[in-house]
Amino acid sequence: MDMSKYPAEPFRIKVVEVPNILNREEREEAIKRAGYNTFLLDSQDCYIDLLTDSGTTAMSDKQWAGLMVGDEAYAGSKNWKRLEATVKEYYGFKHLVPTHQGRGAENLLSRIMIKEGDYVPGNMYFTTTRYHQEAQGATFVDVIIDEAHDSTIDIPFKGNIDLKKLEDLVNKVGADKIPYICLAVTVNLAGGQPVSMENIKAVRAFADKHNIKVFSDATRCVENSYFIKKREKGYENMEIKDILKEMMSYFDGCTMSGKKDCLVNIGGFLAMNDENMYTQARELVVVFEGMPSYGGLAGRDMEAMAIGITESVDYNYIEHRIEQVAYLGDRLREAGVPIVEPVGGHAVFLDARRFLDHLTQDEFPAQSLAAHLYVEAGVRSMERGIISAGRDKITGDHHRPKLELVRLTIPRRVYTYRHLDIVADGVINLYKKRDSIRGLKFVYEPPMLRFFNARFELI
Ligand SMILES: *Cc1c(COP(=O)(O)O)cnc(C)c1O
């Protein structure tokens, strides 16, 4: 590999964490105890933990220092004021309601906006987002472009919304049944694929025409901004923070999981411009999260999130972040391993259908591949396929998503390129002996969000 393509770490390491490094036999025992579900492994037993990029960020020395100036007053905390001002400055929204994490904000948004029988179109679903929409009686409708469902098509903005699909939905159910469009930047379940500014603008124009609101799932909006800078004409010379602010200007508000692009271990928020909606959100947040000035967070956590927001738009940070993920993708591609193309912002996704083409989807190829990768290299990954998709609430049958993936999610500022070499070597070794990998069957299937606690055994 020509390493000059990949930016070196733009930070120095001040604190280290030492995990257990188990041998293969110990890892075989550990995965059996965990019911072949990587969610049920002990974190200390995972040498390289790529389960998620959520809340796994290494905070900066400034953020840690920020924890010391936490103002833990029940109301009117100065950290809340700082966070509110920071969100206004970088995201542009007038009002902020902090929440304990992203799903807290999704709960509030869904409760405020959705009536029984509504439809909420989105560019592919996210588990908790769809859960909260459905819990309020809405039907989620996937309006992402078809290409997003094909792991082999390499186009720059694979997270875009298909305007034709939106139009069809409006014609079918009527605009008054669509309280808002949920537009995620980037699209997690499509592989961290970005949405172009052009598409966001087009969706805004469409929504205005039909008097529909547009909210962003802004969880990875800084990563999306980097892709716009790199791939979209007219943005190459713009600063990340200006791209982010322009992007957010097309939305009525957003839900945010601070655990991703705000560079913190816990936190989130709901932001919006509308006064009336803000009033409702302030009432609801008291019931579900905490007072509107802390929303289930400690003052110090809000301080760390405000600092994280300012650090997240630094070009050196986001360039290294995205290109490090690209490095892992490049190594796997060179070895012929089937991955989702193009590589997105936060993760490399193995295409388990093509990787384990001797298994049917009902033998849970992605779940099995994740379990085997742990045994092979001590690397923890996550299934994103039939298990995560759950069951249809009417028919009771599995949802069968086209994409059957294993996600190798890279935490922010945590691992070096050498760590990623261990991941790549482990995946490549498994690929060489893929024919020997068996499928799985359920031993225990929880009724809700089953991927968290399900247990399996080898077929
Ligand atoms: C993580 C995530 C959420 C939910 O946020 P939490 O902080 O985990 O509650 C919502 N949408 C997307 C795209 C996510 O990745």
Side-chain angles (χ1 to χ4, degrees):
M1 298 289 284
D2 173 13
M3 288 307 289
S4 68
K5 272 172 65 184
Y6 307 99
E9 286 75 14
F11 49 76
R12 297 189 293 224
I13 296 165
K14 196 178 289 210
V15 177
V16 295
E17 178 186 357
V18 183
N20 296 332
I21 300 187
L22 306 185
N23 64 31
R24 176 179 283 267
E25 265 163 44
E26 291 167 329
R27 294 196 297 266
E28 273 167 3
E29 275 307 305
I31 197 73
K32 226 176 261 172
R33 275 199 308 275
Y36 294 88
N37 185 348
T38 51
F39 274 101
L40 300 178
L41 286 166
D42 286 342
S43 111
Q44 277 304 300
D45 292 345
C46 302
Y47 171 36
I48 299 177
D49 196 347
L50 307 187
L51 186 67
T52 178
D53 63 329
S54 179
T56 51
T57 302
M59 291 206 299
S60 68
D61 51 354
K62 293 198 180 69
Q63 288 177 292
W64 281 103
L67 297 183
M68 286 308 295
V69 295
D71 170 0
E72 307 304 342
Y74 197 69
S77 152
K78 71 176 184 204
N79 312 116
W80 169 63
K81 288 192 174 160
R82 166 142 193 220
L83 180 63
E84 191 182 43
T86 306
V87 169
K88 200 174 282 178
E89 180 182 346
Y90 288 90
Y91 290 70
F93 297 115
K94 279 193 208 133
H95 304 297
L96 169 84
V97 175
T99 57
H100 75 288
Q101 56 185 85
R103 67 200 65 186
E106 292 166 355
N107 179 36
L108 301 180
L109 178 67
S110 300
R111 282 174 188 271
I112 293 168
M113 299 297 296
I114 294 170
K115 295 186 307 300
E116 181 79 37
D118 280 349
Y119 293 80
V120 180
N123 47 347
M124 212 173 261
Y125 76 97
F126 182 75
T127 48
T128 58
T129 320
R130 188 175 75 187
Y131 175 84
H132 282 298
Q133 292 162 357
E134 289 176 346
Q136 296 310 311
T139 303
F140 164 80
V141 183
D142 188 8
V143 292
I144 201 165
I145 55 173
D146 285 338
E147 289 90 331
H149 291 282
D150 185 331
S151 67
T152 63
I153 298 177
D154 189 342
I155 51 172
F157 292 105
K158 219 173 159 179
N160 280 358
I161 283 185
D162 185 335
L163 274 289
K164 175 75 172 55
K165 289 185 187 173
L166 266 186
E167 183 102 57
D168 289 348
L169 182 67
V170 168
N171 291 338
K172 196 168 134 215
V173 305
D176 58 332
K177 286 271 181 233
I178 306 174
Y180 65 98
I181 298 162
C182 178
L183 203 170
V185 286
T186 60
V187 184
N188 188 348
L189 266 64
Q193 302 298 334
V195 180
S196 70
M197 197 75 88
E198 187 186 12
N199 189 248
I200 295 170
K201 282 195 230 177
V203 169
R204 175 80 258 173
F206 176 90
D208 283 345
K209 201 170 91 190
H210 296 282
N211 202 19
I212 299 171
K213 292 202 180 313
V214 193
F215 285 89
S216 176
D217 179 340
T219 297
R220 294 185 182 78
C221 56
V222 182
E223 294 174 5
N224 203 86
S225 303
Y226 178 81
F227 284 116
I228 288 177
K229 182 175 171 73
K230 288 285 144 173
R231 297 179 182 174
E232 193 163 353
K233 234 178 129 250
Y235 292 93
E236 49 277 66
N237 296 321
M238 241 166 110
E239 285 191 42
I240 296 292
K241 76 175 185 0
D242 296 327
I243 297 174
L244 174 62
K245 198 146 177 194
E246 179 182 336
M247 210 163 70
M248 289 298 132
S249 73
Y250 301 117
F251 296 104
D252 294 289
C254 73
T255 56
M256 184 74 197
S257 171
K259 303 173 70 172
K260 283 83 168 219
D261 271 4
C262 299
L263 300 177
V264 284
N265 305 123
I266 193 71
F269 58 80
L270 172 65
M272 77 287 292
N273 289 325
D274 186 78
E275 292 294 333
N276 184 32
M277 185 183 167
Y278 180 50
T279 307
Q280 291 179 64
R282 284 171 61 90
E283 281 166 13
L284 271 180
V285 74
V286 178
V287 185
F288 292 103
E289 306 280 323
M291 289 284 281
S293 61
Y294 70 87
L297 293 172
R300 55 179 173 267
D301 295 328
M302 292 190 282
E303 186 71 17
M305 186 151 64
I307 298 168
I309 288 170
T310 65
E311 291 178 355
S312 71
V313 298
D314 173 61
Y315 184 75
N316 291 337
Y317 154 70
I318 192 67
E319 180 199 28
H320 168 262
R321 156 80 181 149
I322 303 286
E323 300 304 337
Q324 195 188 37
V325 175
Y327 170 76
L328 177 59
D330 291 345
R331 278 221 49 203
L332 295 176
R333 189 184 307 104
E334 279 188 8
V337 175
I339 57 174
V340 173
E341 300 279 3
V343 167
H346 64 296
V348 175
F349 289 71
L350 305 176
D351 184 345
R353 274 183 197 266
R354 285 187 286 146
F355 200 113
L356 299 178
D357 58 8
H358 59 289
L359 300 184
T360 66
Q361 193 171 25
D362 287 34
E363 293 170 315
F364 312 147
Q367 188 75 35
S368 178
L369 184 53
H372 283 86
L373 178 58
Y374 172 72
V375 174
E376 183 66 28
V379 174
R380 172 151 72 172
S381 58
M382 182 197 290
E383 188 261 11
R384 275 297 182 223
I386 186 168
I387 304 297
S388 298
R391 288 183 187 271
D392 187 288
K393 65 179 177 178
I394 296 161
T395 69
D397 194 13
H398 297 296
H399 287 295
R400 288 194 173 70
K402 281 195 196 143
L403 296 175
E404 177 71 24
L405 309 175
V406 170
R407 190 177 81 176
L408 303 166
T409 335
I410 315 300
R412 296 166 180 80
R413 308 193 286 207
V414 173
Y415 294 109
T416 65
Y417 287 95
R418 246 333 251 136
H419 284 116
L420 298 184
D421 282 334
I422 289 182
V423 178
D425 293 342
V427 172
I428 293 165
N429 284 340
L430 267 189
Y431 190 59
K432 288 184 183 145
K433 55 185 178 192
R434 59 191 177 276
D435 293 341
S436 67
I437 297 175
R438 285 183 282 161
L440 296 172
K441 60 177 191 234
F442 273 116
V443 179
Y444 164 64
E445 181 183 355
M448 286 293 176
L449 299 176
R450 62 186 183 177
F451 55 94
F452 284 126
N453 285 309
R455 300 183 70 85
F456 305 86
E457 62 187 23
L458 285 168
I459 293 175

